[in-house]
Every structure is written in structure tokens, then in C-alpha cells.
Amino acid sequence: MNITVLDYGAGNVRSIRNAIKKLGCNVQEIKTPEDILTAERLVFPGVGSFGKVMENLTLKGYAEPLRRRIKEDKPFLGICVALQSLYKGSEETPEAQGLGIIDGTIRRFPNHIDREGKKSSLSVPQIGWNGIIPAKEHPLFTHYNGEKLYFVHSYYAPLAETPQEWLLSTTDYGISFASSLAKGNVCAVQFHPEKSGKTGLAILENALLQLGRREEISLTGSPDKSSVKTKKTKIAKRIIACLDVRSNDDGDLVVTKGDQYDVREREGQSPGRVRNLGKPTALAKRYYEEGADEITLLNITGFRNFPLQDQPMIALLKEISHQVFVPVTIGGGIREFTDENGRRYTALDVAAAYFQAGADKISIGSDAVYAVEAYRCNNCKADGTSSIEQIAKVYGAQAVVISVDPRRIYVSSPEGYTHTVIKTKERGANGEEYCWYQCTVRGGREGRDLDVVQLVTGCEALGAGEILLNCIDRDGTNSGFDLELANLVTNAVNIPVILSSGAGTAEHFVQAFTETDVDAALAAGIFHRREVGIGEIKEAAAKVKKAAENGEERIEVRK
Ligand code: 1PR
């Protein structure tokens, strides 16, 4: 079967191509606006912000043929922002016009800190695995059995502005919204089937098979309003496997793992050599199969080397995206760079190369610290020049993760500091009861005069979509996550927080999910050394209840 993919040159379109190929179909490309009308089956993977998507469609002359194709009821599957583009506009970019097939406006999830004066447990963007409730019978959901699917978005299609004849499923995230639409041969989904593991691939296969089989599509039942009203879906806490990648002393790209960021063997047969815990592709594939909700790859020498030149990270990402159908984040070296020939690459160029190679999100470490320092010097005014702003503008906030590398600085009193000082249960070497968290750059090598609250709030203001919260003191120690750090950061920002560093047991994940509001927890060493399994963590977490607004509720995980 031939499937035509509408790629207008932004974001990770490789993953959808790979997923379609994995299902045994041929992938063709749109080359001219006319191809949009003649394609047998068209998949439109919307990537980036609403405004950028509509700008690209208009510039390339694709918007009008798309409207015609949809009106003529030719087979069409839209993913993520492509679903949103069917509406007449979006609060994300009020000046941009959508395709206007549906006379409604896409809205932003409310900010919970702003709205309530206190933080609820839902961050914006919604990033993670949530359920869907089918509103009617439809071939897209044949064999669908209530599994969770991967969502990543700050804007949603409101039910009140979605005609019943279009509504195919709903999802809840504080608000109930339209998570898929279908009318005749036109379908659109807010979740990413290509990133939703085996369930997502099955839905994608249904969609590809059914697109164009008009008779079966028209057999769809009428909306089951009762189930839409009574049931609610819940987002899962994510378990993320992290691969710190670098060249070893023989020049091979390996997964390594440090103790408090020191990745060289301290003793044993080869002291001083870079620890080698396995091959990146094999480990990424293993974690996908074991049920990791996401995979993170950090090029830990990115501050030193230019990733587009020195490291085969691009090839690695391409290889991984053939085998891993959950989201992949890549970090290390995302910054501006000038090569030896004087050619300048912006941080956006580096990110673009990663997205095109199959990354769903990029993570910025050192450069985020410099960006926030500059922002603070500029009286906290964003001027559009930082890597965070540039990348978020094109690819959307949800694609920009900030990797934070803080370390504790103990002080004897909270007085006289410009930094946020906390009272800690874990005293310092000299009995100090207070500490602040200093941000570092260059893989923890250099401390800066910036604390973690200043960094994360600055990054959020500049447009970052998620925080990857490491902790140098805990990294590689197996002693548990720094929960005080987690609470400090989740109370400061609206965006999702991934807690990292120090996991040693499944119980440590349970603590993170019951004692803090983090959205995800990440580990490296325990997975590489097979000390704790991803399934074991999910089983332990699913048994536990956590205090919630209306009493207690179970910790939600993706099975
Ligand atoms: O500054 O944008 O080039 O990004 C560099 C990235 O590489 C940053 O995200 C930084 O955290 C990471 N990094 C740099 N040097 C090291 C190192 O270890 N020498 N790794 C490093 C950071 C932290 C986590 C680790 C968790 C979980 N590693 O990625 O996987 O702490 O470990 P655990 O479960 O074993 O405790 P830039």
C-alpha cells in the first residue's frame, strides 16, 4: 500500500515514516501542491507550533489543496497539530488562520499556578501517556482495549466547539477535550500513534487500512454520550530510561554512567578508563521492549565537541528511530557553534538536525544557564535570541527540555543570600541545616551564580516545555532521588518536571510519585546493570495510593 506523507520540512517526520514502513507500507512524499489532491492516502503529521504549521502550509501552497481534499472526503489522517489545523484558529497563534473545516478555536490548557494561586498536579504542556474514551464505534479503534497513548501538547480541541458528527474520542486532562475526530474518510488524532508503542502502531495500521474504505467508515455508530460523560481518563506517571553516551578511549560510542558525573573507572582492571555499559542502540531497544515510556540520550561531551561534527549521534538517532516507537529526547551540545571553516551553526540548526534524525524533544543543558543569565541581565525581558526561544518558536515549547545539573551548597543560615535557600532534613558535613542548589555548566564542571529556582523559572519564561531535573550529589549513588529538590522545582513552575539522579530501588520511584508532584522519574545505572526492571517499578507504583484533591487515588502508570 502506498502512503503519502505531507512533510513541509519541520520536526520529526522520520518517526511516522518509520512506523508506516514497519507496517509494511511504502512511503511517498508530497512534492507539489497537486500531489495533495492525487495522493491515494495522505498522512499529515503536524509538527511544531500552530502558527509555524499554517505558515509553512500557506508558503508551500498546500493549505488550499488540503482544504479541497478534506471537503472531497479523500482519505486523510492528521496527527497532533494536524488535528488542530482543521479548526479555524488557535489561541497559540491568534493571527494565523487554520484550515477552517471545523468552526471552532483551539484553546490552551489553563496554567494551574496562575489559576488557583496554588499548584495542582497537572502541568502544561500535557506530556505523557493518557487514555481515550471512544465516542462511537469506529474501525480506527478495532482491537483497542483501553491502553494509554502518547500525547504532547499545550493546546486542545474543546468539546463545546467540536461538532458531534466529528467527535471520535475524548480524553481528560483537567478538562475533557476531543482527542480524535473522524468524518467519512477524514480522521485526525491528537495523540501520536507512531510514538505510542504497539497500541499506537495497531491504531495506525487500522487507520491506514481503513482510509479509503468508504463503506466501512460509513458504518460508524452514533455517539455513545453516556460513556463520554461518566468515564474519565488519567495521565500516567512516566518511567524514563536515560543513556549517557560518549566516545570511549577507543573512539567507540558507548553508554557510560558516572558517579556524581565522574564516568571513569575508579578501580578494577582498567582504572581511569571510561566506563562502558553497553551499546546505545541495543540498550534503547531493550528499554523500549521492557516498557520504558520514553528514552533519553545525553551526549555528555556535547559541551566540548560539536555534535554535528564530532559525534555520530545523528546516525545513532536514525538507527534508534527504526526500532523504538516511544518518544526519544536527545541532549548535549545544543548551542550555537562556529566550525573551523568559519561556518556558523545556530542552536536551531543543531536542533533541526536532531529532529530530522528522529528526536521528538531536544534537551538543553549549559546553554540554558547562559540564556537565563542573559535574560536576568536584561531585566527579565525575553528578546527572542536564546536557543530556548528560537527552538520553541519553530518546534513548540513541548519539544524543548531543559536539563538542569544542580548541586547542593550548604549554608549555616538562610539570611543574606540572593538565592532560594531551603531548610533541609539532610544536613551538610558540618551540620548545616540550610542549602541552596547551584546550577552548573559543562557537565557539572563549573558552578555559576544562579540557583535552580532562578534557572527553571527563567527557562519557563523563555518558552521551555519541560525540566529534566538531575542532581549531581545523587547521580549514580543509588541512594534515592532528592525529593526536597523536586518539591522546590515543581512548586516553582507549571511545566512538567522529570526527576532524575540517584534511583536505586522501585520504592524510590514510588516515593517520587507520592511525595512530590513530578510528572516522570528517570534512571540510568539501575537499568543498565539490570538491578531493577521497568516492569517492577510500574507494578510497585500501581499498588500505591496518593493523596488527591478528592481523597486518595492510585498512581497511574502505563501497563
Ligand atoms: O550542557 O547542553 O551540552 O548538555 C550536556 C548534558 O549531558 C546535560 O544534560 C548533562 O546533564 C549531561 N552530562 C554532562 N556530563 C555528564 C556526566 O555524567 N559526566 N551526565 C552528564 C549527566 C545525569 C543523568 C543521569 C542521571 C541518572 N548525567 O543523565 O543519567 O543522573 O543516573 P542514575 O540513575 O544512575 O543515578 P549540554
Side-chain angles (χ1 to χ4, degrees):
M1 193 192 295
N2 292 326
I3 306 295
T4 306
V5 173
L6 174 58
D7 177 5
Y8 46 84
N12 176 11
V13 177
R14 179 175 293 273
S15 297
I16 186 75
R17 277 204 204 101
N18 288 344
I20 294 171
K21 283 187 200 153
K22 170 124 182 132
L23 296 172
C25 302
N26 299 320
V27 177
Q28 296 178 336
E29 305 293 334
I30 292 287
K31 296 202 180 76
T32 67
E34 292 70 51
D35 295 345
I36 290 184
L37 289 167
T38 54
E40 212 178 307
R41 292 171 166 83
L42 183 72
V43 174
F44 175 16
V47 191
S49 60
F50 184 89
K52 213 62 203 164
V53 169
M54 292 316 304
E55 183 187 315
N56 277 323
L57 289 181
T58 309
L59 276 177
K60 292 192 181 273
Y62 292 168
E64 209 35 58
L66 263 178
R67 276 191 197 100
R68 244 182 85 190
R69 179 178 183 99
I70 293 167
K71 284 190 178 146
E72 289 172 8
D73 194 27
K74 291 189 174 153
F76 171 94
L77 172 68
I79 299 173
C80 195
V81 191
L83 174 146
Q84 303 184 359
S85 76
L86 297 181
Y87 289 71
K88 73 170 190 256
S90 167
E91 286 182 353
E92 186 173 15
T93 328
E95 64 281 9
Q97 251 190 15
L99 294 174
I101 306 292
I102 294 176
D103 186 23
T105 303
I106 300 295
R107 309 277 170 197
R108 191 178 199 282
F109 287 121
N111 264 353
H112 295 276
I113 290 180
D114 298 350
R115 197 180 52 169
E116 301 285 341
K118 68 180 170 64
K119 180 154 162 99
S120 100
S121 52
L122 295 177
S123 320
V124 182
Q126 163 169 238
I127 300 185
W129 298 74
N130 203 336
I132 55 165
I133 300 172
K136 54 188 163 194
E137 281 174 32
H138 193 278
L140 206 67
F141 300 134
T142 310
H143 309 305
Y144 175 72
N145 216 358
E147 297 92 341
K148 292 192 187 292
L149 301 158
Y150 186 73
F151 287 81
V152 48
H153 58 133
S154 301
Y155 296 82
Y156 66 94
L159 292 183
E161 300 187 48
T162 303
Q164 279 296 326
E165 54 173 350
W166 274 97
L167 186 66
L168 182 56
S169 72
T170 60
T171 292
D172 298 279
Y173 193 67
I175 279 166
S176 193
F177 65 91
S179 49
S180 63
L181 305 173
K183 190 177 163 198
N185 288 311
V186 176
C187 300
V189 293
Q190 179 62 62
F191 54 86
H192 285 265
E194 78 284 13
K195 288 287 159 189
S196 298
K198 294 192 175 96
T199 307
L201 291 179
I203 291 178
L204 185 62
E205 186 171 28
N206 286 341
L208 301 181
L209 284 175
Q210 297 301 335
L211 286 179
R213 292 195 183 172
R214 200 181 156 72
E215 281 160 40
E216 288 183 51
I217 293 270
S218 61
L219 284 178
T220 54
S222 56
D224 173 1
K225 286 187 189 148
S226 58
S227 78
V228 172
K229 278 197 187 129
T230 51
K231 288 195 221 156
K232 280 204 183 309
T233 67
K234 264 167 49 189
I235 190 160
K237 298 288 184 187
R238 283 169 284 155
I239 314 294
I240 301 177
C242 180
L243 281 61
D244 289 353
V245 178
R246 62 161 288 165
S247 296
N248 67 5
D249 302 294
D250 304 319
D252 300 323
L253 208 58
V254 297
V255 174
T256 187
K257 185 67 215 54
D259 296 327
Q260 299 177 316
Y261 287 30
D262 179 1
V263 298
R264 293 192 177 269
E265 299 281 5
R266 290 185 184 162
E267 47 206 31
Q269 289 182 333
S270 38
R273 286 179 70 84
V274 170
R275 255 184 225 145
N276 178 352
L277 290 165
K279 293 231 184 303
T281 311
L283 279 179
K285 187 163 178 247
R286 192 185 112 202
Y287 298 143
Y288 165 61
E289 281 162 2
E290 287 176 5
D293 297 316
E294 261 178 63
I295 311 278
T296 296
L297 296 166
L298 295 176
N299 169 1
I300 68 166
T301 52
F303 70 90
R304 197 166 51 218
N305 303 323
F306 179 48
L308 298 190
Q309 220 171 28
D310 300 333
Q311 298 276 342
M313 290 295 280
I314 299 280
L316 174 63
L317 258 182
K318 287 182 183 168
E319 216 176 287
I320 287 177
S321 77
H322 278 291
Q323 307 179 28
V324 169
F325 297 97
V326 294
V328 175
T329 302
I330 183 144
I334 308 227
R335 64 193 160 93
E336 187 181 299
F337 186 86
T338 303
D339 70 14
E340 68 270 20
N341 303 319
R343 176 163 174 205
R344 184 176 161 264
Y345 297 83
T346 63
L348 185 61
D349 294 332
V350 182
Y354 279 148
F355 287 126
Q356 278 155 24
D360 300 284
K361 301 187 262 183
I362 53 90
S363 119
I364 309 177
S366 309
D367 206 51
V369 174
Y370 304 134
V372 170
E373 287 174 349
Y375 165 75
R376 291 173 62 81
C377 279
N378 196 24
N379 293 321
C380 294
K381 282 200 199 98
D383 60 11
T385 57
S386 70
S387 51
I388 301 172
E389 292 159 279
Q390 288 176 19
I391 301 168
K393 188 172 171 207
V394 177
Y395 296 97
Q398 74 290 336
V400 182
V401 185
I402 306 301
S403 175
V404 186
D405 299 312
R407 87 158 34 96
R408 281 180 174 227
I409 305 290
Y410 281 98
V411 292
S412 50
S413 141
E415 308 304 326
Y417 290 93
T418 51
H419 299 300
T420 303
V421 175
I422 62 160
K423 184 160 189 188
T424 173
K425 288 187 192 142
E426 206 181 304
R427 294 189 179 203
N430 302 313
E432 298 94 334
E433 286 184 73
Y434 299 92
C435 74
W436 64 281
Y437 289 91
Q438 181 187 39
C439 293
T440 64
V441 293
R442 306 173 70 244
R445 283 166 182 77
E446 187 189 329
R448 307 288 293 190
D449 187 24
L450 189 76
D451 70 53
V452 73
V453 174
Q454 292 168 330
L455 178 67
V456 296
T457 52
C459 288
E460 183 176 30
L462 290 172
E466 195 170 33
I467 301 294
L468 164 52
L469 186 58
N470 302 298
C471 175
I472 299 178
D473 312 284
R474 297 292 178 110
D475 175 60
T477 61
N478 286 19
S479 60
F481 297 108
D482 188 336
L483 304 180
E484 293 177 331
L485 171 63
N487 282 321
L488 183 64
V489 169
T490 54
N491 285 329
V493 292
N494 270 304
I495 54 181
V497 175
I498 302 166
L499 184 56
S500 161
S501 304
T505 63
E507 184 53 30
H508 289 150
F509 285 81
V510 174
Q511 279 172 356
F513 296 144
T514 48
E515 294 175 37
T516 81
D517 272 336
V518 295
D519 301 83
L522 169 154
I526 52 167
F527 296 149
H528 305 334
R529 296 185 298 267
R530 292 185 187 270
E531 289 163 3
V532 181
I534 293 166
E536 185 185 338
I537 294 168
K538 291 190 173 182
E539 234 171 77
K543 285 187 192 144
V544 177
K545 285 191 176 162
K546 175 184 183 174
E549 278 155 30
N550 308 319
E552 276 190 327
E553 61 186 24
R554 279 199 188 283
I555 296 180
E556 196 76 10
V557 290
R558 176 176 74 106
K559 307 249 163 33

